[in-house]
């Protein structure tokens, strides 16, 4: 069905989001791209007589297997949410107290433009930095580049997958990509280290793992917790937290010691094998057992399973990779293990992603910025391939701070930056301008000078999806509804600001449909076609894998896969990963383990009324021995305390053997403090605020979060 097409209601019976099934009205569908997380699944929004009925996956979307996950199906709750931001808001002082007052769009944008002009004139445009998460930020990046700044940072790098991208980049010359380029559907052995696919619901990835399990893949899950994939595994390795590098080195030891590695691949494509063989010699399974708790025979057996299935073995690169501060090195160890197995760009290991060439709308060149983001923290984190959020925040505090203004798009920094404490307030007091573009009254909005209410993904056009993946494709997001309240699409906000800043030459389109139409026509499609089909698939132009024995020039300095990294050595870092034991946990404390839950995308969805119904709060997993010691039962509420004296909201206890006695576990994203999030405020606990021991990765600036410990604060429950 295309936009505006009608269908018989009987044909459309199925899952529902807003009302159980249509009546006798006219049913229409509109294509969209889900924005509930960043996997970008394509879907159709169904309406009856302009009223929301349901959202489903687009059957032609190979990227999502034609389906939406639980969260995507509940996505329309974001549109229906009564707590949404409704009007632009500006900071005001009433009776000596700071508050917000409603403003018109013109007034709010005029204020921002005046401040932007002043920052550009007095300090330079590069002193305005964008901190962002999500595809919709592209409109504001365009605006800022036209204005003269390419300063930006996103938590998706320094708080999430940055170490993985850098570790793989240093080894293979390119990253593990997002969406990940793992060829799991063709794998005969899959190894997951702290990657709990199934709870972490990146849709297409869950489906390919399920496909592999149906074909009897050997699944090896390394996780201190009995996670969902652990329950489906042939081998569950309940590793002592923080010791993964030791295990990875022991696996490499076994592969080399028993001559199980792919000799032809290693000879043809890698440098530094001799150094690596020497380096892992002492990491025997017996020695590593003492560190990891994984028995030597299990280490050997699992290494042999990997070798037996190679190259159709994938040691998954993981995604949320900021753990103990040595994360680039751990990611490198994962990359090196894959190289020994010969699985990089081989069937059942990793594939080579491809995207289509989509021409950019013809626009004037951007002015060249005189400063880049990293100039804000000179000499730090030499391999950071993107701006480092924590560095940007530190460089925004004080009268002589490097940054003078923030444009924050779609990220809730109080919950996203671990242990941020009072830093946000200090930065907000120092900065001349803080603009927050949001759909919800998140905690971050409380630090803004101006809050701009963006409409939700169901009410706007955004850029076409054109991600590098197995099957090149494009997908369209277009409005299924008029923006509710006085909210506006991001492209409109950017264009209006552009106009006020006399940057009209960069925004020549009347509306975003015009810009997308131009792009589509360059590749032989049209907006009309995409409005009908939503997703267009293209044939690949290049091979999916390396051809047997083909010569390859990798994008590393040596043009080879770098087992030994000269680049790291030259900057004073270990050229090969070295294991450092995690800090011990004092009596009465427990490691704070955290992760995702299927019903929510961290704090972004907890107020969504449809998803709230599924999971209104997070739970604290507690081992029975610990529960006994603290007289806790399932269903009790407790608070947690950090060594820095932070005490959490109440969180409900779940006593379970699935977590060991050294740790507790909770899903990230709860414990909201913003009272304007009326459903979720106060529900569950926030792991981020308990993190006072942040281990910063010296290579790329990532904030390792897993070295944190907590205790129970029962008396305040
Ligand atoms: P986490 O959610 O942090 O990361 O998903 P993942 O990359 O899977 O899960 C961490 C797992 O690591 C847990 O099972 C934990 O027990 C285990 N672990 C903890 N310490 C250790 C250790 O020392 N060693 C080992 N081996 N394991 C350990 C995150 C990913 O999920 C990301 S980055 C995003 S942005 C998406 N977010 C998201 C979401 O919010 N909700 C849902 N439903 N799905 C999501 N998918 C994506
Ligand atoms: Fe939406 Fe789920 Fe796809 Fe994420 S994985 S984009 S939440 S359907």
């Amino acid at each position: 069905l295309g936009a505006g097409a009608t269908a018989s209601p009987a044909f459309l019976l199925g899952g529902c989001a807003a009302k159980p099934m249509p009546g006798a009205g006219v049913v229409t569908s509109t294509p969209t791209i889900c924005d509930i997380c960043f996997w970008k699944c394509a879907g159709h929004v169904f309406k009856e007589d302009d009223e929301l009925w349901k959202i489903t996956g687009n059957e032609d979307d190979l990227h999502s297997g034609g389906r939406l996950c639980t969260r995507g199906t509940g996505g329309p709750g974001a549109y229906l949410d009564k707590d949404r931001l409704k009007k632009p808001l500006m900071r005001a002082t009433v009776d000596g107290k700071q508050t917000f007052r409603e403003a018109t769009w013109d007034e709010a944008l005029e204020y921002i433009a005046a401040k932007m002009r002043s920052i550009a004139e007095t300090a330079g445009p590069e002193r305005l930095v964008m901190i962002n998460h999500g595809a919709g930020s592209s409109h504001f990046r365009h605006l800022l580049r036209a204005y003269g700044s390419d300063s930006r940072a996103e938590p998706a790098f320094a708080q999430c997958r940055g170490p993985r991208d850098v570790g793989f980049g240093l080894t293979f010359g390119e990253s593990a990509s997002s969406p990940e380029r793992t060829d799991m559907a063709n794998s005969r052995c899959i190894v997951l280290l702290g990657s709990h696919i199934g709870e972490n619901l990146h849709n297409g990835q869950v489906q390919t793992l399920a496909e592999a399990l149906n074909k009897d893949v050997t699944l090896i899950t390394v996780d201190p917790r009995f996670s969902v994939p652990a329950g489906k595994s042939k081998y569950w390795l309940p590793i002592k937290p923080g010791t993964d590098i030791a295990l990875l080195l022991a696996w490499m030891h076994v592969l080399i010691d028993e001559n199980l590695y792919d000799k032809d691949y290693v000879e043809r494509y890698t440098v530094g094998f001799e150094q690596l063989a020497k380096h892992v010699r002492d990491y025997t399974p017996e020695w590593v057992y003492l560190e990891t708790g994984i028995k030597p025979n299990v280490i050997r057996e699992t290494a042999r399973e990997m070798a037996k299935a190679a190259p159709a073995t994938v040691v998954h690169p993981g995604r949320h990779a900021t753990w103990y501060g040595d994360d680039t090195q751990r990611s490198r160890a994962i990359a090196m293990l894959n190289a020994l197995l010969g699985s990089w760009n081989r069937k059942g290991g990793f594939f080579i992603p491809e995207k289509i060439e989509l021409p950019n709308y013809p626009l004037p060149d951007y002015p060249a910025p005189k400063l880049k983001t990293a100039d804000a923290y000179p000499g730090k984190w030499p391999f950071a391939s993107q701006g480092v959020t924590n560095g940007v925040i530190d460089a925004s505090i004080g009268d002589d701070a490097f940054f003078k203004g923030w444009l924050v798009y779609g990220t809730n920094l109080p919950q996203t930056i671990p242990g941020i404490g009072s830093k946000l307030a200090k930065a907000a007091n120092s900065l001349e301008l803080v603009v927050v573009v949001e759909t919800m009254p998140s905690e971050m909005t409380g630090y803004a000078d101006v809050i701009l209410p963006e409409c939700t993904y169901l009410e706007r056009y955004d850029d076409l999806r054109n991600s590098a993946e197995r099957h090149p494709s494009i997908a369209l997001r277009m409005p299924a509804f008029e923006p509710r309240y006085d909210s506006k699409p991001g492209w409109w906000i950017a264009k209006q600001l552009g106009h006020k800043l006399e940057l009209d030459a960069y925004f020549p389109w009347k509306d975003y449909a015009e810009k997308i139409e131009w792009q589509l026509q360059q590749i032989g499609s049209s907006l009309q076609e995409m409005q009908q089909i939503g997703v267009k698939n293209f044939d690949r132009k290049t091979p999916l894998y390396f051809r047997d024995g083909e010569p390859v020039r990798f994008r590393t300095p040596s043009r080879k896969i770098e087992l030994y990294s000269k680049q790291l050595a030259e900057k004073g870092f270990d050229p090969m990963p070295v294991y450092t034991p995690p800090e011990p946990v004092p009596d009465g404390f427990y490691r704070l383990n955290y992760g995702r839950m299927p019903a929510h995308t961290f704090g972004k969805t907890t107020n969504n009324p449809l998803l709230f119904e599924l999971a209104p709060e997070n739970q604290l997993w507690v081992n029975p021995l610990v529960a006994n010691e603290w007289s806790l039962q399932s269903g009790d509420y407790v608070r947690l305390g950090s060594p820095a004296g932070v005490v959490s909201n109440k969180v409900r206890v779940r006593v379970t053997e699935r977590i060991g006695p050294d740790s507790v576990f909770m899903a990230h994203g709860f414990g909201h403090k913003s009272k304007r999030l009326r459903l979720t405020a106060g529900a569950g606990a926030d792991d981020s605020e308990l993190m006072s021991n942040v281990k910063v990765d010296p290579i790329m600036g990532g904030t390792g979060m897993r070295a944190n410990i907590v205790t129970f604060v029962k008396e305040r429950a």
Side-chain angles (χ1 to χ4, degrees):
L1 282 180
T6 61
S8 135
F11 169 67
L12 294 168
L13 289 179
C16 70
K19 58 181 187 169
M21 61 182 68
V26 177
V27 174
T28 56
S29 91
T30 312
T32 190
I33 304 167
C34 180
D35 197 41
I36 298 303
C37 84
F38 315 103
W39 199 253
K40 300 186 188 151
C41 303
H44 291 295
V45 182
F46 288 94
K47 297 188 291 187
E48 185 192 14
D49 292 342
D50 263 358
E51 204 188 315
L52 173 66
W53 172 30
K54 68 172 182 179
I55 185 166
T56 64
N58 181 323
E59 321 69 46
D60 295 329
D61 187 24
L62 300 170
H63 170 63
S64 64
R67 289 175 232 167
L68 301 181
C69 77
T70 327
R71 296 169 294 152
T73 309
Y79 161 73
L80 299 169
D81 198 323
K82 293 195 168 66
D83 294 342
R84 277 175 59 171
L85 291 168
K86 299 181 178 71
K87 292 215 42 107
L89 298 171
M90 294 179 72
R91 184 173 287 281
T93 309
V94 175
D95 298 335
K97 279 201 181 144
Q98 297 261 311
T99 179
F100 288 97
R101 67 171 175 84
E102 289 187 354
T104 63
W105 275 99
D106 192 57
E107 189 187 8
L109 296 178
E110 194 58 55
Y111 177 89
I112 296 168
K115 286 281 183 187
M116 284 175 73
R117 270 194 297 270
S118 151
I119 291 173
E121 276 158 24
T122 55
E126 304 86 350
R127 309 292 177 144
L128 178 64
V129 61
M130 178 164 81
I131 308 181
N132 63 289
H133 203 182
S137 62
S138 62
H139 308 295
F140 296 94
R141 183 170 183 220
H142 172 60
L143 170 74
L144 258 60
R145 290 185 80 188
Y147 160 80
S149 171
D150 200 18
S151 305
R152 72 197 166 96
E154 48 182 338
F157 181 74
Q159 280 65 51
C160 195
R161 58 180 169 72
R164 174 195 91 172
D165 291 352
V166 174
F168 270 61
L170 285 164
T171 314
F172 294 119
E174 52 188 324
S175 82
S177 291
S178 174
E180 284 79 14
R181 56 201 286 184
T182 48
D183 196 23
M184 288 198 288
N186 292 311
S187 300
R188 290 190 294 128
C189 177
I190 297 173
V191 185
L192 302 176
L193 293 112
S195 194
H196 57 348
I197 299 173
E199 287 158 277
N200 144 11
L201 266 197
H202 271 168
N203 193 0
Q205 187 161 240
V206 181
Q207 291 179 45
T208 47
L209 177 61
E211 214 176 316
L213 285 166
N214 284 338
K215 291 193 241 164
D216 275 342
V217 72
T218 298
L219 183 58
I220 301 169
T221 298
V222 183
D223 197 314
R225 196 174 58 93
F226 192 66
S227 61
V228 165
K232 314 245 173 261
S233 297
K234 179 166 176 191
Y235 298 91
W236 169 44
L237 277 52
I239 193 164
K240 280 192 204 153
T243 63
D244 292 68
I245 293 185
L247 175 66
L248 288 157
L249 293 168
W251 273 337
M252 290 195 253
H253 169 102
V254 177
L255 292 183
I256 296 173
D257 190 48
E258 299 189 10
N259 259 315
L260 296 174
Y261 65 97
D262 186 331
K263 283 174 218 67
D264 181 56
Y265 188 96
V266 166
E267 263 167 38
R268 194 180 296 274
Y269 295 133
T270 71
V271 285
F273 177 75
E274 293 308 321
Q275 287 109 315
L276 176 64
K278 200 164 158 224
H279 180 65
V280 297
R281 199 168 291 153
D282 292 339
Y283 289 99
T284 61
E286 284 67 25
W287 185 84
V288 165
Y289 164 54
L290 300 175
E291 295 299 309
T292 60
I294 310 298
K295 293 203 174 113
N297 64 320
V298 176
I299 296 178
R300 289 204 167 83
E301 219 175 293
T302 44
R304 288 174 197 146
E305 289 268 15
M306 286 181 226
K308 194 170 73 186
T313 296
V314 59
V315 186
H316 197 286
R319 190 166 175 104
H320 176 74
T322 40
W323 295 7
Y324 286 89
D326 52 3
D327 305 306
T328 305
Q329 295 287 14
R330 190 188 63 257
S331 296
R332 237 175 82 64
I334 294 174
M336 289 156 72
L337 180 58
N338 279 301
L340 290 184
L341 293 162
S343 64
W344 183 251
N345 295 349
R346 305 276 293 283
K347 189 169 179 186
F350 294 81
F351 61 81
I352 306 169
E354 187 181 306
K355 65 184 203 175
I356 68 152
E357 280 167 33
L358 188 63
N360 286 324
Y361 196 98
L363 293 172
D365 289 341
Y366 295 120
K370 294 192 187 68
L371 297 165
K372 50 190 189 312
T373 320
D375 291 329
Y377 36 83
K380 282 186 167 172
W381 316 311
F383 292 94
S385 51
Q386 291 185 24
V388 175
T389 358
N390 26 311
V392 164
I393 294 170
D394 288 344
S396 303
I397 297 174
D399 292 341
D400 57 352
F402 183 92
F403 289 114
K404 306 293 175 202
W406 284 3
L407 195 159
V408 180
Y409 178 92
T411 178
N412 189 25
L413 299 177
Q415 280 201 333
T416 303
I417 310 294
I420 190 153
S422 60
K423 279 189 183 179
L424 270 182
K426 285 184 188 152
N429 284 336
S430 308
L431 292 162
E432 291 166 29
L433 175 67
V434 180
V435 181
V436 176
V437 184
E438 251 291 1
T439 55
M440 297 298 297
S442 67
E443 286 76 12
M444 187 62 220
T445 59
Y447 296 92
D449 298 314
V450 187
I451 305 169
L452 300 179
E454 191 182 21
C455 57
T456 67
Y457 70 108
L458 297 182
E459 302 159 294
R460 64 185 202 229
Y461 278 105
D462 273 319
D463 280 314
L464 292 163
R465 185 190 82 192
N466 179 25
S467 319
E469 50 187 308
R470 173 191 294 272
H471 311 283
S473 70
I474 50 168
L476 176 70
R477 174 182 292 160
M478 64 176 286
F481 303 97
E482 285 297 311
R484 279 190 145 186
Y485 315 112
D486 196 10
S487 63
K488 299 281 186 193
W491 67 260
W492 181 91
I493 305 172
K495 180 173 158 71
Q496 300 307 309
L497 270 172
H499 176 65
K500 290 195 182 296
L501 292 162
E502 295 174 26
L503 298 170
D504 298 280
Y506 292 90
F507 298 88
W509 42 80
K510 174 172 62 56
D511 59 28
Y512 221 57
E514 187 181 309
K515 186 217 160 187
I516 294 174
E517 172 77 298
W518 183 90
Q519 283 187 296
L520 288 169
Q521 288 194 359
Q522 312 311 304
I523 55 164
S525 179
S526 67
L527 190 56
Q528 197 190 10
E529 182 192 28
M530 289 304 289
Q531 285 175 342
Q532 293 294 319
I533 58 180
V535 171
K536 189 166 173 128
N537 294 309
F538 294 81
D539 291 334
R540 284 184 71 99
K541 293 192 173 142
T542 55
L544 192 56
Y545 311 111
F546 288 165
R547 282 174 293 239
D548 272 351
E550 78 170 299
V552 177
R553 278 166 71 79
F554 292 84
R555 286 185 227 134
T556 55
S558 63
R559 301 287 172 204
K560 299 268 188 186
I561 298 172
E562 303 203 338
L563 300 177
Y564 179 95
S565 174
K566 228 167 131 191
Q567 293 189 76
L568 283 175
E570 280 167 5
K571 295 275 183 204
F573 299 112
D574 293 321
M576 288 168 294
V578 171
Y579 166 68
T580 321
E583 289 161 5
V585 178
D587 281 350
F589 279 84
Y590 306 89
R591 293 192 186 279
L592 174 61
N593 191 355
Y594 59 88
R596 315 287 161 159
M597 68 151 71
H600 286 292
T601 301
F602 33 82
K604 182 177 154 125
T605 58
T606 50
N607 205 70
N608 171 321
L610 302 175
L611 298 178
F612 176 85
E613 231 177 82
L614 294 180
E617 60 186 349
N618 56 356
Q619 294 183 327
L620 184 75
W621 293 27
V622 179
N623 181 273
L625 293 174
V626 179
N628 197 26
E629 201 173 315
W630 290 85
S631 308
L632 294 172
Q633 292 186 344
S634 283
D636 287 354
Y637 279 97
V638 283
R639 291 178 199 269
L640 295 173
S642 77
V646 175
V647 176
S648 76
N649 272 1
K650 288 189 296 185
V651 58
R652 194 189 277 267
V653 169
R654 173 180 171 191
V655 179
T656 169
E657 303 259 6
R658 291 174 63 182
I659 184 100
D662 61 346
S663 307
V664 291
F665 173 84
M666 66 166 100
H668 167 70
F670 286 86
H672 279 281
K673 300 208 165 49
S674 167
K675 293 203 172 66
R676 290 182 295 152
L677 297 169
R678 285 173 297 174
L679 274 183
T680 192
D686 172 16
D687 54 331
S688 300
E689 68 173 345
L690 292 164
M691 294 179 177
S692 48
N693 188 16
V694 177
K695 303 283 187 198
V696 178
D697 188 327
I699 298 177
M700 50 61 69
T703 50
M705 309 181 197
R706 295 211 180 273
N708 285 285
I709 53 173
V710 287
T711 189
F712 298 97
V713 186
K714 277 197 75 184
E715 60 281 5
R716 291 188 50 183

